[in-house]
Amino acid sequence: MTEQRQHLYFNLIDELLKCPNGQEPEVLESKPELIDSGLVETMLQVATMFAHEGNQDGAQFLFFVARELAKQLGLYPEVSEVSTEVSNKE
């Protein structure tokens, strides 16, 4: 993953965190080129960081969105194992 692509993922995650409740699908649909396993992985990393910093709401939100995207992309079994490992560490 390039640094530029990671920056785009972070921008999209920031947009998701700031958008009004219920507008998340529109935000994601506006950037279809970024919807891939790299975005899911980045969301999980940011969610884990949020959890460690005590931002449980942000962490839960990102875990939820990452899980839904992973299901759509056919990655869910793989991602659910990662999420379980992360939540077991907390």
Side-chain angles (χ1 to χ4, degrees):
M1 175 181 342
T2 67
E3 191 174 317
Q4 179 184 8
R5 187 147 185 97
Q6 183 120 30
H7 185 69
L8 293 171
Y9 289 150
F10 288 139
N11 285 344
L12 180 55
I13 291 168
D14 194 45
E15 279 185 59
L16 286 168
L17 291 167
K18 291 178 179 176
C19 78
N21 195 14
Q23 302 261 321
E24 297 85 2
E26 289 86 357
V27 170
L28 291 168
E29 288 167 11
S30 74
K31 305 270 197 285
E33 70 281 1
L34 295 177
I35 310 302
D36 59 18
S37 61
L39 176 61
V40 172
E41 183 181 328
T42 303
M43 282 183 165
L44 292 174
Q45 290 170 351
V46 172
T48 301
M49 181 186 72
F50 279 1
H52 289 294
E53 292 176 350
N55 181 352
Q56 297 306 317
D57 291 340
Q60 287 178 339
F61 170 76
L62 287 178
F63 279 129
F64 174 79
V65 175
R67 184 171 55 240
E68 294 305 308
L69 287 175
K71 285 180 190 177
Q72 291 176 13
L73 295 169
L75 305 170
Y76 186 70
E78 200 176 302
V79 173
S80 69
E81 291 170 19
V82 171
S83 297
T84 303
E85 288 174 22
V86 169
S87 57
N88 287 340
K89 291 180 183 176
E90 294 176 10

